[in-house]
Amino acid sequence: MSGFTKIIEKDLGKLETSIDRLISTRVDYIKEIVSYIIGSGGKRVRPVLVMLCSKLCGYRGQKHISYAAIIEFIHTATLLHDDVVDNAKTRRGLSTVNTVWGNEPSVLVGDFLYSRSFELMSREGNNEILKTISQVTTALSEGEILEIVKTADVETTEEDYYEIIGNKTAVLFGAACEIGAILGKCQNNRRKALKNFGYNLGIAFQLMDDVLDYTSYNDVLGKHVGTDLKEGKVTLPLIYVLRTARDKEKAYLEKIITQERITQRDFDRVRSIIEKNGGISYTMQATENSLGKAKKYLDTFPPSRYKSALLELADYMLKREM
Amino acid sequence: MSGFTKIIEKDLGKLETSIDRLISTRVDYIKEIVSYIIGSGGKRVRPVLVMLCSKLCGYRGQKHISYAAIIEFIHTATLLHDDVVDNAKTRRGLSTVNTVWGNEPSVLVGDFLYSRSFELMSREGNNEILKTISQVTTALSEGEILEIVKTADVETTEEDYYEIIGNKTAVLFGAACEIGAILGKCQNNRRKALKNFGYNLGIAFQLMDDVLDYTSYNDVLGKHVGTDLKEGKVTLPLIYVLRTARDKEKAYLEKIITQERITQRDFDRVRSIIEKNGGISYTMQATENSLGKAKKYLDTFPPSRYKSALLELADYMLKREM
């Protein structure tokens, strides 16, 4: 990713070996699919958080590697199930598992990764971490279901939106940081601070994702992305503009959101309405606010290279382009 | 179900209240779907096993109710995901969740139930049980994936078949019994015996299921069921006959198994080939053997009404008609 991964470079190397080892199964088909998706170049943001936070809290053992792998497994399981739910065709520039192998393995390998994660955690025997993670995976599924309930709902409020992204994305970032704190045997107030740091970072991450879905280009086709609009996901750029646009534009947006199929031309017009009415800059501002909040939670920690790395990671959120 | 549930009638009443309480969520949509599927008249075989085995081992507390509910949640999660994988239309005479609400909620509510189960278990804090269950859910997904790999594979051996049903069905029966043993603080040899009792009972349960898929009638249409054949599942009645039938019949069976669509006429012919060549009686015999094996594992326990109930439950497996 960037400079902030330098100080945990060795651990990140161990992570990859650990991932391979921990997913071992006698079913080759599972190995093949897991290698495909986990090896497809994810940014390992969540494992990095586990590692940096555990070091920040003075952890000197090796368990942070396994937990970093587990967090990545859980994240990967959600991706596998999401792609079935969204009927997605590509992810990270590669065909999705459901496109290559079908929905069945995508669902079941996701289940395998969830179960293996809990198996590994129960083997590690840290009940605090297990509690944290199991609450989070419940929240993840609730967030995803809330998102379905709100599909193509033009009445979706900002509050609904934050509830959805809080559950579907931010809680896992929060848990990654909290695990670090638990491993490092942090005081309770610092553990909470790190959890909140992660949560707000996750909110910012998702806000940027939702901005990029309107502003980023598809590498292959050179078109803007627009996946959210196609899937009826009413994200903050759209929510803001539905509230602020002129009646005529609003009526047009509402028509498009509830429409079965959306053409590239529809998307381009929606995008220009959003940009013109400040939906992108409003969401960018929300991202910055969330990052500011996140960084503030680190005030309780004295300066250290791990703290600097976490602050740098936060700043990186605004710069990422995909 | 039968007489053997009489002695735990009160606990079974508590189970239903417990199920309602433990799935509480602020997302109404989840409640609606979970109530639909859990309320649709499952036989609660696995919870009954948790209860009877815990009592057999002298357990006098109340935790067996929560664990019985958790086992039912996990079972229900597998049903929700199975129905997506198999593209099933009906279950227990009702439309499946994926038919009524779509694949998305079916996948995600399944995830919710898995996660909530682990959340509840980590709250209970019994790490032995957590380890047991997490190993089992991993095996469940492996079994399901193995089954997919072997879809429409006319070379499927009896060994493959037992590996599949062992993982996809029997391990959960084994775990239900083992939880009872853990709660009752049974000696290690008795804990193993109960696990093996459950495992072999589960094998018998699945064997009967696979027999009934050829011999039972669909209530509405009055036709034989035939779901497995349609889904390309090569089960024991078919495996046996593929090995023993005359070449011409074998060639016909192989053609049908690998065929994309199967008509009622195809199914009727396959069924009559299987019956004629002893595929049903062979599988019934295997069921009886497995039940005999299961019951033998109870020898280590002195007579008691709980032991009698478990033996009665085993005998019930052969009698069930759906």
Side-chain angles (χ1 to χ4, degrees):
Chain A
M1 275 190 286
S2 193
F4 53 84
T5 58
K6 273 259 166 67
I7 53 172
I8 47 166
E9 213 173 8
K10 256 195 188 163
D11 282 355
L12 284 169
K14 286 185 198 165
L15 173 70
E16 299 306 311
T17 324
S18 190
I19 285 177
D20 281 347
R21 190 171 44 81
L22 297 176
I23 53 153
S24 77
T25 160
R26 66 223 140 98
V27 187
D28 292 334
Y29 195 61
I30 298 179
K31 269 184 243 168
E32 193 186 332
I33 292 173
V34 174
S35 305
Y36 177 83
I37 180 159
I38 295 203
S40 71
K43 295 179 288 295
R44 310 277 190 260
V45 183
R46 297 156 195 82
V48 165
L49 286 173
V50 174
M51 290 175 178
L52 289 177
C53 289
S54 70
K55 303 269 184 192
L56 178 72
C57 294
Y59 182 68
R60 294 285 168 266
Q62 287 299 311
K63 290 193 183 221
H64 64 310
I65 312 274
S66 310
Y67 283 113
I70 289 167
I71 280 282
E72 192 69 4
F73 292 161
I74 288 175
H75 169 58
T76 308
T78 67
L79 296 186
L80 284 165
H81 287 185
D82 275 9
D83 286 344
V84 172
V85 167
D86 295 340
N87 204 4
K89 300 286 172 245
T90 59
R91 174 176 295 279
R92 298 170 187 161
L94 284 175
S95 298
T96 54
V97 168
N98 51 315
T99 311
V100 182
W101 286 275
N103 279 343
E104 300 85 345
S106 206
V107 171
L108 296 172
V109 174
D111 289 349
F112 172 81
L113 285 173
Y114 271 129
S115 298
R116 176 53 58 84
S117 300
F118 283 104
E119 199 185 336
L120 293 168
M121 283 189 283
S122 68
R123 228 186 279 163
E124 291 286 354
N126 187 322
N127 201 48
E128 274 302 285
I129 295 183
L130 232 161
K131 243 188 227 168
T132 304
I133 297 291
S134 60
Q135 279 165 8
V136 159
T137 53
T138 305
L140 289 174
S141 61
E142 287 176 325
E144 298 278 352
I145 291 165
L146 274 175
E147 189 170 51
I148 289 183
V149 174
K150 291 291 176 187
T151 300
D153 183 349
V154 296
E155 310 274 318
T156 306
T157 64
E158 212 162 305
E159 205 187 336
D160 295 331
Y161 172 76
Y162 280 110
E163 191 180 1
I164 291 169
I165 69 169
N167 283 293
K168 80 165 190 175
T169 307
V171 289
L172 192 57
F173 277 74
C177 296
E178 202 177 356
I179 289 176
I182 298 171
L183 285 174
K185 296 195 167 58
C186 242
Q187 289 166 313
N188 220 20
N189 65 325
R190 286 193 169 174
R191 174 173 161 182
K192 271 191 199 148
L194 277 185
K195 179 185 172 180
N196 286 325
F197 165 76
Y199 185 88
N200 284 287
L201 195 71
I203 293 284
F205 182 88
Q206 189 60 54
L207 284 164
M208 265 316 274
D209 237 41
D210 296 346
V211 163
L212 289 168
D213 198 70
Y214 282 102
T215 60
S216 171
Y217 285 91
N218 180 320
D219 280 350
V220 187
L221 302 170
K223 285 180 190 165
H224 282 101
V225 181
T227 313
D228 289 341
L229 189 67
K230 276 178 209 136
E231 288 167 2
K233 286 183 188 161
V234 184
T235 59
L236 193 56
L238 200 50
I239 292 171
Y240 176 74
V241 171
L242 278 167
R243 212 167 57 205
T244 53
R246 285 177 300 126
D247 285 354
K248 213 178 140 192
E249 284 172 335
K250 208 179 139 182
Y252 173 76
L253 292 176
E254 288 179 353
K255 191 192 85 165
I256 295 295
I257 291 166
T258 50
Q259 203 166 282
E260 198 55 34
R261 294 197 61 174
I262 287 159
T263 64
Q264 185 65 32
R265 220 179 133 172
D266 293 332
F267 172 71
D268 287 338
R269 189 157 165 217
V270 169
R271 199 174 62 82
S272 82
I273 293 176
I274 287 179
E275 286 197 337
K276 200 189 72 182
N277 287 280
I280 298 302
S281 53
Y282 180 77
T283 310
M284 287 298 289
Q285 187 56 54
T287 312
E288 280 191 53
N289 294 347
S290 195
L291 288 175
K293 231 167 148 183
K295 291 198 273 184
K296 199 101 194 68
Y297 280 108
L298 295 186
D299 283 354
T300 172
F301 293 91
S304 77
R305 54 196 186 127
Y306 299 112
K307 181 175 170 177
S308 305
L310 285 168
L311 291 168
E312 201 188 315
L313 192 158
D315 289 331
Y316 165 81
M317 288 290 152
L318 269 182
K319 286 179 228 145
R320 73 195 187 95
E321 276 165 7
M322 59 168 284
Chain B
M1 274 188 285
S2 193
F4 53 84
T5 58
K6 272 260 165 65
I7 54 170
I8 46 166
E9 213 173 6
K10 256 195 188 163
D11 283 353
L12 284 170
K14 285 185 199 166
L15 173 69
E16 299 306 311
T17 324
S18 192
I19 284 177
D20 281 345
R21 190 171 44 82
L22 297 176
I23 53 154
S24 77
T25 159
R26 69 222 137 98
V27 187
D28 291 334
Y29 196 62
I30 298 179
K31 270 186 240 166
E32 192 187 335
I33 292 173
V34 174
S35 304
Y36 177 83
I37 182 160
I38 296 205
S40 72
K43 295 179 288 296
R44 310 277 190 260
V45 184
R46 297 157 195 83
V48 165
L49 287 172
V50 174
M51 290 175 178
L52 289 176
C53 290
S54 69
K55 303 268 184 192
L56 178 72
C57 295
Y59 182 68
R60 293 285 168 266
Q62 287 299 312
K63 291 192 181 221
H64 63 311
I65 311 275
S66 310
Y67 283 113
I70 289 167
I71 280 283
E72 193 68 5
F73 292 161
I74 288 173
H75 169 57
T76 308
T78 67
L79 296 185
L80 284 166
H81 287 185
D82 275 11
D83 286 343
V84 172
V85 167
D86 295 340
N87 203 4
K89 301 283 174 247
T90 58
R91 174 175 295 279
R92 300 169 185 161
L94 285 176
S95 298
T96 53
V97 169
N98 50 316
T99 312
V100 182
W101 285 274
N103 279 344
E104 300 86 344
S106 207
V107 170
L108 295 172
V109 174
D111 289 349
F112 172 82
L113 285 172
Y114 272 128
S115 299
R116 176 54 58 85
S117 300
F118 282 104
E119 198 185 334
L120 293 169
M121 283 189 283
S122 68
R123 229 186 279 165
E124 291 286 352
N126 188 321
N127 201 48
E128 275 302 286
I129 295 183
L130 232 162
K131 242 188 227 169
T132 304
I133 297 290
S134 60
Q135 279 165 9
V136 159
T137 53
T138 305
L140 289 174
S141 61
E142 287 176 325
E144 298 278 353
I145 292 165
L146 274 174
E147 191 170 49
I148 289 184
V149 174
K150 291 289 176 189
T151 300
D153 182 350
V154 296
E155 310 274 319
T156 307
T157 63
E158 212 163 304
E159 204 187 336
D160 296 330
Y161 172 76
Y162 279 110
E163 190 181 0
I164 291 168
I165 70 169
N167 282 293
K168 79 165 191 174
T169 307
V171 288
L172 191 58
F173 277 74
C177 296
E178 201 177 356
I179 289 175
I182 297 172
L183 286 175
K185 296 197 165 58
C186 243
Q187 289 167 314
N188 220 21
N189 65 325
R190 286 195 168 171
R191 174 173 161 181
K192 271 191 199 149
L194 277 185
K195 179 185 173 178
N196 286 325
F197 165 77
Y199 185 89
N200 284 285
L201 194 71
I203 293 284
F205 182 88
Q206 189 60 55
L207 284 164
M208 265 316 275
D209 236 42
D210 295 345
V211 163
L212 289 168
D213 198 70
Y214 282 102
T215 61
S216 172
Y217 286 91
N218 179 318
D219 280 350
V220 188
L221 303 169
K223 286 181 190 165
H224 281 100
V225 182
T227 313
D228 289 341
L229 189 67
K230 275 177 212 141
E231 289 168 2
K233 287 182 187 161
V234 184
T235 59
L236 193 56
L238 200 50
I239 292 170
Y240 176 75
V241 172
L242 278 167
R243 209 166 60 205
T244 54
R246 288 175 300 128
D247 284 354
K248 212 177 139 193
E249 284 174 334
K250 208 181 139 181
Y252 172 76
L253 291 176
E254 288 179 352
K255 191 192 83 160
I256 295 294
I257 291 166
T258 49
Q259 205 165 279
E260 197 57 33
R261 293 197 62 173
I262 287 159
T263 64
Q264 186 65 32
R265 221 178 133 173
D266 292 333
F267 172 71
D268 287 337
R269 193 160 162 215
V270 170
R271 198 173 64 82
S272 82
I273 293 175
I274 287 178
E275 286 196 339
K276 202 190 71 185
N277 286 281
I280 298 302
S281 53
Y282 180 78
T283 310
M284 288 297 289
Q285 188 56 54
T287 312
E288 280 190 53
N289 295 347
S290 194
L291 288 176
K293 231 167 149 183
K295 291 198 272 185
K296 200 102 192 69
Y297 280 109
L298 295 186
D299 283 354
T300 173
F301 293 91
S304 76
R305 54 193 185 129
Y306 299 112
K307 181 176 171 175
S308 306
L310 285 167
L311 292 168
E312 202 187 310
L313 192 158
D315 289 331
Y316 164 82
M317 290 288 152
L318 268 182
K319 285 177 227 147
R320 70 193 189 96
E321 277 164 5
M322 61 165 284

